Amino acid sequence: PALACLSDFTEMMRALGYPRLISMENFHTPNFMLVSEVLLWLVKRYEPQTDIPPDVETEQDRVFFIKAVAQFMATKAHIKLNTKKLYQADGYAVKELLKVTSVLYGAMNTKGVERADVSEEDSSKFKFDLGSKIADLKAARQLASEITSKGASLYDLLGKEVELREARTESIARPLEINEAEKVMKIAIGCVLEQVQKTKDMLNNVALDEANLEAKIEKRKLELERSQKRLQTLQSVRPAFMDEYEKIEEQLQKQYSSYLEKFRNLTYMEQLLDDHRRIEQEMFEEAANMLHLMQNRLKEEEQRLLKSGNNDDSDIEIQEDEGSDSEVEDRQIMKQRTATETLLQG
């Protein structure tokens, strides 16, 4: 049944002149964009001057769009749509769309446009326009509401006909007295005269109110003119302290400019000081590393000399020579220490 509904729907949409080709594959998964586009096209085809927002980006916009279309179809075409199935935008939504397309398709057939004779080009040119009949539809709707209200009031009056018939019969059967009729007419004339007098009094009061309002308007105009003149005088008069204010403002501007210059210079000097301290710290760390390396080298040299002195088992002459060698080595060690001290001083 779903496939049959979908095939009927596609054929009806093609006959109505829908510009796009709708296939059965479009509704296997929810396709809300296609459903919204078809709904908007059907609404425009039913009544071109309708105003329904086409925004369907967010969830709230989609809900508002579905509600607006369902309300339009219920009030204008008397077609009840299931909003939940339309929001699903799948095969179940096709059944709801088929309700609207069948009405438009039937209306097209009643005008003599046969489905078998209409080609694809003719169906694209077909225009089902109800814009010219909107005034007639509104008048018919208004007359229908008036007929309904008049019928309800007539039904209520006919329900009271039994009691009113008896009262009417008694009034007709009762003889008419001229004195009573004259009295009633005098009372009615007196009421009308009172209403006329009240109306005249109201007119007189309106004239008085109009005169009072005109006097108030003139008074307000005079006050406005005086206020404008006073404003002009105040604007033309220069305050006594204005010159001093302008001088102080100029001095303030100069002080502010000098402040900005000093602030920039101070910031630049602080940056230079930070760079100088960083360079000194790097030089100090490099000198400490060099001193550490020199100390390690001196320790290694002393250990090497001690080992060479202990391993020497020669005679006294050789010892004397070693003594002379040790003196040379001591001199070298002293030179290295002096060089280290000069490096540290540097």
Side-chain angles (χ1 to χ4, degrees), residues 56-308:
V56 291
E57 297 295 331
T58 61
E59 182 180 354
Q60 187 176 1
D61 293 337
R62 293 183 179 183
V63 172
F64 181 75
F65 176 77
I66 294 295
K67 286 183 179 180
V69 172
Q71 186 177 2
F72 173 80
M73 287 298 172
T75 55
K76 300 293 183 180
H78 301 286
I79 299 173
K80 186 178 181 181
L81 299 176
N82 192 342
T83 55
K84 292 183 179 179
K85 291 182 180 179
L86 286 175
Y87 191 79
Q88 289 178 1
D90 53 2
Y92 292 100
V94 178
K95 295 181 180 180
E96 303 299 323
L97 295 173
L98 193 60
K99 296 178 182 179
V100 183
T101 53
S102 60
V103 173
L104 295 176
Y105 186 73
M108 184 181 70
N109 288 332
T110 55
K111 283 192 173 184
V113 182
E114 297 180 357
R115 181 180 174 183
D117 297 334
V118 178
S119 63
E120 292 182 358
E121 295 179 358
D122 296 335
S123 64
S124 63
K125 297 179 181 179
F126 178 72
K127 300 290 184 180
F128 185 73
D129 191 3
L130 291 177
S132 60
K133 302 294 184 180
I134 290 176
D136 297 336
L137 288 173
K138 290 181 179 179
R141 192 179 296 112
Q142 185 177 1
L143 290 174
S145 61
E146 290 179 359
I147 290 169
T148 304
S149 60
K150 295 290 180 63
S153 61
L154 182 61
Y155 178 78
D156 295 335
L157 293 174
L158 289 175
K160 300 177 181 179
E161 178 61 23
V162 178
E163 298 176 358
L164 295 175
R165 188 186 296 115
E166 295 178 357
R168 186 170 60 249
T169 304
E170 290 178 359
S171 299
I172 292 171
R174 189 174 59 187
L176 183 62
E177 294 181 0
I178 297 174
N179 294 327
E180 291 182 359
E182 186 178 359
K183 188 184 294 184
V184 172
M185 290 299 293
K186 285 181 180 180
I187 292 170
I189 291 169
C191 292
V192 172
L193 291 174
E194 287 180 1
Q195 291 180 359
V196 171
Q197 188 64 32
K198 287 181 180 179
T199 305
K200 289 181 179 180
D201 294 337
M202 289 175 66
L203 290 174
N204 293 328
N205 293 329
V206 167
L208 292 173
D209 293 338
E210 186 177 358
N212 293 328
L213 289 174
E214 288 179 355
K216 288 182 179 178
I217 290 170
E218 291 295 332
K219 185 178 179 181
R220 296 294 182 184
K221 284 182 179 178
L222 294 174
E223 291 179 357
L224 179 61
E225 290 178 358
R226 287 197 297 269
S227 299
Q228 287 179 353
K229 290 180 180 179
R230 187 178 179 185
L231 177 62
Q232 290 177 0
T233 54
L234 290 174
Q235 288 179 352
S236 61
V237 174
R238 185 178 177 84
F241 55 88
M242 199 64 189
D243 296 334
E244 185 179 358
Y245 173 77
E246 291 178 355
K247 291 180 181 179
I248 294 173
E249 190 175 5
E250 291 178 358
Q251 293 177 3
L252 178 62
Q253 189 67 28
K254 293 179 181 178
Q255 292 293 331
Y256 182 70
S257 61
S258 64
Y259 166 74
L260 287 178
E261 185 177 359
K262 290 179 181 179
F263 183 77
R264 286 196 297 269
N265 293 332
L266 178 62
T267 306
Y268 178 70
M269 294 300 291
E270 288 179 352
Q271 184 179 0
L272 291 178
L273 181 60
D274 293 336
D275 294 338
H276 182 68
R277 288 176 179 174
R278 180 171 52 78
I279 292 170
E280 286 184 350
Q281 183 67 25
E282 291 177 356
M283 291 176 63
F284 179 76
E285 291 177 356
E286 186 177 358
N289 292 329
M290 290 293 295
L291 179 61
H292 185 67
L293 291 174
M294 292 296 293
Q295 288 178 355
N296 292 331
R297 288 179 183 177
L298 290 173
K299 287 180 181 180
E300 290 176 358
E301 188 68 24
E302 290 177 356
Q303 290 177 0
R304 187 176 62 80
L305 291 173
L306 291 173
K307 287 180 181 179
S308 63

Side-chain angles (χ1 to χ4, degrees), residues 320-336:
E320 289 177 355
D321 294 335
E322 286 177 356
S324 61
D325 294 334
S326 61
E327 289 178 357
V328 174
E329 289 176 356
D330 291 336
R331 291 176 183 175
Q332 292 178 355
I333 291 170
M334 290 299 292
K335 288 180 180 180
Q336 290 176 358

